[in-house]
Amino acid sequence: MHPHFFFIPTKKMQISLLFFLSIIFSLLFSLPIHSFPTSSKLEQRTFIISVNHHVKPSIFPTHFHWYQASLDSLSSHPPKQVLHTYDTVFHGFSAQLTNADADILSKQFHILSLIPEQVRSLHTTRSPLFLGLEPSSTNTSSLLEESDFGSDLVIGVIDTGIWPEHPSFKDRGLNAIPPKWRGFCPSDFPCNKKIIGAKFFFEGYEATNGKMNGSTEFHSARDSDGHGTHTASIAAGRYVFPADTLGYAKGVAAGMAPKARLAVYKVCWTSGCYDSDILKAFDEAVKDGVDVISLSVGGVVVPYYLDSIAIAAFRAVQSGVFVSASAGNGGPGGSSVTNVAPWVTTVGAGSIDRDFPADVVLGNGRRVSGVSVYRGPDGLEPGKLYPLVYAGSREGGGGGGQGYSASLCLEGSLDPNMVRGKIVLCDRGINSRVAKGEVVKEAGGVGMILANAVFDGEGLVADCHVVPATSVGAANGDVIRRYIADNLKRSAMPVATIVFRGTRVGVRPAPVVAAFSARGPNPETPEILKPDLIAPGLNILASWTKRVGPSGLITDRRRAEFNILSGTSMACPHVSGLAALLKAAHPDWSPAAIRSALMTTAYTLDNQGATMRDESTGNESTVMDFGAGHVHPQKAMDPGLVYDLTTYDYIDFLCNSNYTTSNIELIAPKKANCQGAKRAGHVGNLNYPSISYVFVQYGQHKMSSHSIRIATNVGDPNSVYRVKIVPPTGTNVTVEPEQLSFRRIGQKLNFLVRVQVEAIPLSAGSSNTRSGAIIWSDGKHTVTSPLVVTMQQPL
């Protein structure tokens, strides 16, 4: 995808001119910016290069020519080529360079920074009903009707593309494409009034991996993976009936904003999602005129000025675009959350009140609970017990030095002579859950039980297996192993079967925090609570591509119009669609106001009236798991108060994060005056809907801190809010004033939160987190902010 050239009389004149310019350009005054490691000087990798675009010499007809001349001046072999140019959410270009090239390029006067590319990974219904968004329900008129189901709002989905012929993306009954839309669809891609944009970016992918395989990838925005089709339909799929996956989860499928338009930006390919392509997608999406960007992709957390997604999202939010991103699937471990920039709405995953039970019945009559979505030609005979073997044992083929790989049912690890005709118990880990079933099937096994590792706990994900299979928790995995071992000690054959019980609704408790959902604390800025909130992300039914079967395996010949997937990838587009509904109902709300409405109205109690549980342990979950809580669409429509933020607030935050002016200029296109910002407070003094304090115990017995929040009235013109304080255990919390009296909509009033703590016994390098809440109410609205206090003992 090359830029258009301007002012080029002839090809020969163009080459001569650019060669001449590149020689002159290489002699221009330079200033050192970076020094790159001396190792691997000849190894190429992709860099994203930030440029001071204002200083382009007028002799270059376009920025592309200028950037290419910068690369030509390197005189390296092979010649370097611009992969992408960026001019909306970022100014600069990307290119493959050696470290030696990067060192030289960084010294050119117009180069601000070189950011090494990250390779990101995907964070891979009944949910509208669970969220109260069924059009037949009495309370939906407040959100779906007032927002006209999201009509004329555009959601940009940055993912693996889309299957455009799916009935979820029909445009029947939709008005004309909004006149504000500046994007386009290629002439050979079947867009309509629902899918109004379809672009794909592969230059970063191919720079690292070579030419893509046309037999496995579509060289277009068409989805060969299924993930992008799934997430797009969660955000904005039309109503489709009947909908199911292999007979499971039968009903009506619909997205959060059924009339919203979709713009698709395909950046994820077989080997991952590359930063240079993601940045180009952001650039194009904002330029095209999207209202919301949905990104179910993540990677390693780095400082914001080195994070391409954080940089792109900042400029998008500055343009009024709401950006939601998945929190990641690294749970239940702490500090696993990703996409943590405070201008991004970070979404974790919870369950809904539906599951797919598939129990293991052991030969001793014990029934062990599990979950699965299986239907295929190779079903188990009802009532028959089959020989049962643990893949990691000698009897399962795990002898001969292959015990570990066999226990995980890795490819080629199972001995067919040991598993043929048997149900095989496999341990979770390394390869995908469904791939283990394929390994069992190829070795002649008739079924599989997939047991969680200790780290996974009791969290279960229902998969569309290619062999009769079910997933069980870590504790139940131990029960089955003991049963097998006890029988073998008595020289008895262990036997079992799997009973598939279909779809169960009305599950209690629900929601629970999904075991895989990434957790806080925020590894980059502990004073900003992340994730922000959770939304449905466990066993979600949504649209699917016709390119692959529901398991996602190449060998799966089944085809399904819908599929059931789990991940924060599925939670993120729920919030993206809800943001579109809120934006349609409140066009004047900023991205920060929308996030505030979603967070301050979120709930933390399940359908049994108790604090939401952590699926991995069964214990109560905490703010580090669910942030502000589970999204509540109806209440978010009318939150009463919001905590708004501007670009200048975020710049002050960066200043208080001790970023240099140069660091900040890579993120924000405005000059930062950090002297004034640092006088305004500390890093946690951002007008965020949650409030967090971190106290480092440097020998002090008593410590205190404070934060200022600014509440904007979006409820009733004449309203009085009174505060209720739920202090974290062992803290003294005050709020001044204790009453906020508003006289008009849009009025802003300040309040100060002061927290006093006493040191507690902690071992070196450890921490302790406690939480409470600040709750404002006028009798009609309840505006809740999590209040988090973390005590740290330095090393």
Side-chain angles (χ1 to χ4, degrees):
M1 299 190 180
H2 301 290
H4 296 291
F5 292 165
F6 303 98
F7 185 56
I8 305 175
T10 69
K11 183 73 174 176
K12 185 174 181 180
M13 289 175 64
Q14 173 194 341
I15 295 172
S16 300
L17 175 62
L18 291 181
F19 177 75
F20 174 71
L21 292 176
S22 67
I23 294 174
I24 294 177
F25 190 71
S26 66
L27 299 177
L28 293 175
F29 176 76
S30 63
L31 179 67
I33 304 292
H34 285 296
S35 179
F36 293 90
T38 55
S39 60
S40 303
K41 282 283 186 178
L42 299 179
E43 182 182 341
Q44 288 201 134
R45 56 177 172 162
T46 300
F47 287 86
I48 295 167
I49 299 107
S50 176
V51 176
N52 182 355
H53 65 290
H54 296 296
V55 299
K56 179 183 76 67
S58 58
I59 196 168
F60 292 102
T62 68
H63 280 85
F64 171 80
H65 291 83
W66 183 34
Y67 300 155
Q68 187 60 57
S70 303
L71 296 178
D72 293 342
S73 71
L74 297 174
S75 301
S76 58
H77 187 78
K80 309 304 178 189
Q81 299 295 322
V82 170
L83 298 176
H84 291 297
T85 61
Y86 313 103
D87 58 13
T88 304
V89 300
F90 186 81
H91 289 283
F93 63 101
S94 54
Q96 279 240 311
L97 304 170
T98 63
N99 284 338
D101 292 332
D103 262 334
I104 296 170
L105 189 63
S106 71
K107 295 177 173 63
Q108 295 186 6
F109 80 101
H110 60 298
I111 302 296
L112 299 177
S113 179
L114 288 88
I115 303 172
E117 178 174 66
Q118 275 197 62
V119 182
R120 314 274 178 161
S121 58
L122 296 164
H123 289 152
T124 197
T125 41
R126 183 175 166 81
S127 50
L129 176 60
F130 185 70
L131 291 172
L133 287 176
E134 281 293 288
S136 59
S137 66
T138 58
N139 64 345
T140 46
S141 60
S142 60
L143 183 52
L144 282 176
E145 291 183 12
E146 286 195 36
S147 65
D148 190 21
F149 296 77
S151 182
D152 293 346
L153 271 289
V154 183
I155 301 174
V157 181
I158 300 177
D159 212 294
T160 66
I162 197 167
W163 194 264
E165 293 86 2
H166 196 284
S168 292
F169 309 124
K170 299 292 186 185
D171 65 355
R172 187 179 63 176
L174 291 182
N175 296 328
I177 294 172
K180 67 176 184 178
W181 180 244
R182 300 181 294 274
F184 66 88
C185 276
S187 58
D188 58 350
F189 197 83
C191 287
N192 54 21
K193 291 184 291 185
K194 178 67 175 179
I195 302 173
I196 61 174
K199 298 180 180 181
F200 63 105
F201 308 102
F202 58 89
E203 288 83 349
Y205 163 77
E206 286 194 343
T208 299
N209 298 280
K211 292 292 183 183
M212 71 175 63
N213 184 346
S215 64
T216 59
E217 302 271 22
F218 289 115
H219 200 263
S220 73
R222 185 174 290 277
D223 184 10
S224 59
D225 177 271
H227 188 277
T229 300
H230 202 269
T231 57
S233 67
I234 291 171
R238 306 298 302 275
Y239 290 98
V240 179
F241 177 84
D244 67 89
T245 298
L246 305 178
Y248 290 81
K250 291 181 178 180
V252 178
M256 297 295 99
K259 284 189 178 181
R261 316 308 172 102
L262 286 165
V264 179
Y265 303 88
K266 181 177 177 179
V267 299
C268 295
W269 308 88
T270 303
S271 64
C273 320
Y274 290 76
D275 268 1
S276 55
D277 296 333
I278 294 172
L279 185 57
K280 185 64 175 177
F282 266 96
D283 210 57
E284 291 294 307
V286 174
K287 194 184 306 181
D288 290 345
V290 303
D291 300 286
V292 174
I293 289 177
S294 187
L295 182 71
S296 293
V297 169
V300 178
V301 175
V302 295
Y304 305 125
Y305 63 89
L306 295 177
D307 185 340
S308 297
I309 289 177
I311 294 170
F314 186 99
R315 309 290 179 92
V317 168
Q318 185 182 28
S319 300
V321 178
F322 180 92
V323 179
S324 57
S326 49
N329 296 340
S335 291
S336 51
V337 64
T338 67
N339 294 319
V340 296
W343 43 88
V344 172
T345 300
T346 310
V347 188
S351 69
I352 59 176
D353 61 343
R354 178 186 66 197
D355 66 6
F356 309 101
D359 299 339
V360 178
V361 179
L362 300 175
N364 60 7
R366 181 162 183 176
R367 185 178 286 260
V368 176
S369 61
V371 298
S372 179
V373 177
Y374 173 76
R375 181 153 295 159
D378 305 317
L380 300 176
E381 187 177 325
K384 178 179 178 180
L385 294 176
Y386 294 81
L388 174 65
V389 64
Y390 174 43
S393 68
R394 183 168 49 195
E395 292 76 12
Q402 289 211 65
Y404 178 67
S405 58
S407 71
L408 295 167
C409 295
L410 302 182
E411 186 176 359
S413 66
L414 299 183
D415 183 348
N417 295 319
M418 299 292 187
V419 304
R420 187 176 294 113
K422 300 177 182 178
I423 293 176
V424 182
L425 174 65
C426 301
D427 292 337
R428 182 173 167 180
I430 308 298
N431 58 340
S432 74
R433 298 182 300 271
V434 291
K436 295 176 189 294
E438 185 178 39
V439 171
V440 169
K441 184 177 182 179
E442 289 178 350
V446 297
M448 178 185 71
I449 302 168
L450 179 60
N452 279 357
V454 173
F455 178 80
D456 302 307
E458 304 310 306
L460 298 178
V461 175
D463 293 303
C464 293
H465 291 284
V466 294
V467 66
T470 188
S471 295
V472 300
N476 279 336
D478 289 339
V479 168
I480 298 170
R481 289 188 198 90
R482 282 196 298 270
Y483 165 75
I484 294 172
D486 290 346
N487 274 266
L488 293 177
K489 284 179 183 177
R490 296 184 285 105
S491 298
M493 172 65 72
V495 293
T497 190
I498 302 172
V499 179
F500 299 95
R501 295 166 51 199
T503 304
R504 180 174 62 173
V505 297
V507 172
R508 301 167 76 89
V512 299
V513 178
F516 57 77
S517 186
R519 316 300 168 97
N522 183 335
E524 179 62 17
T525 311
E527 295 83 358
I528 301 296
L529 179 64
K530 292 285 182 174
D532 289 312
L533 41 69
I534 65 171
L538 182 64
N539 301 330
I540 303 301
L541 177 80
S543 306
W544 192 242
T545 177
K546 287 190 178 296
R547 182 60 179 260
V548 294
S551 70
L553 298 172
I554 297 175
T555 55
D556 188 357
R557 301 303 175 193
R558 300 171 299 175
R559 291 295 180 265
E561 204 160 53
F562 294 87
N563 202 359
I564 294 168
L565 297 182
S566 297
T568 54
S569 279
M570 285 65 250
C572 170
H574 279 90
V575 170
S576 305
L578 293 175
L581 293 179
L582 292 175
K583 183 70 174 176
H586 303 284
D588 56 332
W589 281 11
S590 70
I594 293 171
R595 175 179 56 199
S596 177
L598 291 167
M599 289 178 65
T600 61
T601 58
Y603 61 89
T604 60
L605 302 181
D606 61 28
N607 56 7
Q608 293 181 322
T611 300
M612 286 187 289
R613 297 279 166 179
D614 181 342
E615 187 196 23
S616 67
T617 63
N619 298 328
E620 280 191 2
S621 54
T622 72
V623 291
M624 292 300 171
D625 307 324
F626 54 66
H630 192 286
V631 66
H632 193 308
Q634 298 303 328
K635 288 189 176 180
M637 176 69 183
D638 182 19
L641 304 176
V642 295
Y643 298 102
D644 210 351
L645 286 161
T646 68
T647 301
Y648 295 103
D649 296 315
Y650 291 127
I651 292 174
D652 286 350
F653 160 81
L654 295 170
C655 289
N656 287 315
S657 300
N658 292 321
Y659 281 21
T660 66
T661 301
S662 298
N663 295 156
I664 296 171
E665 286 179 3
L666 295 175
I667 304 168
K670 298 179 180 179
K671 283 282 186 182
N673 176 15
C674 283
Q675 288 184 338
K678 289 184 177 179
R679 287 196 301 270
H682 53 86
V683 66
N685 208 30
L686 185 68
N687 198 40
Y688 213 71
S690 56
I691 306 171
S692 297
Y693 299 92
V694 177
F695 295 97
V696 182
Q697 301 183 160
Y698 287 112
Q700 303 116 304
H701 179 62
K702 293 186 176 182
M703 293 163 282
S704 67
S705 187
H706 68 276
S707 294
I708 297 171
R709 289 296 186 268
I710 304 170
T712 302
N713 182 27
V714 295
D716 300 325
N718 292 292
S719 52
V720 178
Y721 287 80
R722 293 175 176 83
V723 71
K724 176 184 176 182
I725 302 170
V726 182
T729 305
T731 66
N732 180 37
V733 180
T734 59
V735 174
E736 300 174 10
E738 296 181 347
Q739 179 174 298
L740 300 175
S741 298
F742 294 94
R743 295 292 173 260
R744 65 182 185 278
I745 294 175
Q747 183 179 358
K748 299 177 184 293
L749 293 176
N750 297 1
F751 62 91
L752 182 140
V753 180
R754 190 180 302 277
V755 175
Q756 295 176 313
V757 299
E758 293 186 1
I760 60 175
L762 288 173
S763 58
S766 65
S767 64
N768 174 274
T769 299
R770 293 161 285 174
S771 65
I774 302 293
I775 305 168
W776 292 97
S777 178
D778 65 348
K780 175 182 177 182
H781 307 93
T782 300
V783 186
T784 303
S785 291
L787 177 61
V788 186
V789 171
T790 300
M791 309 294 291
Q792 291 183 346
Q793 186 66 37
L795 290 170

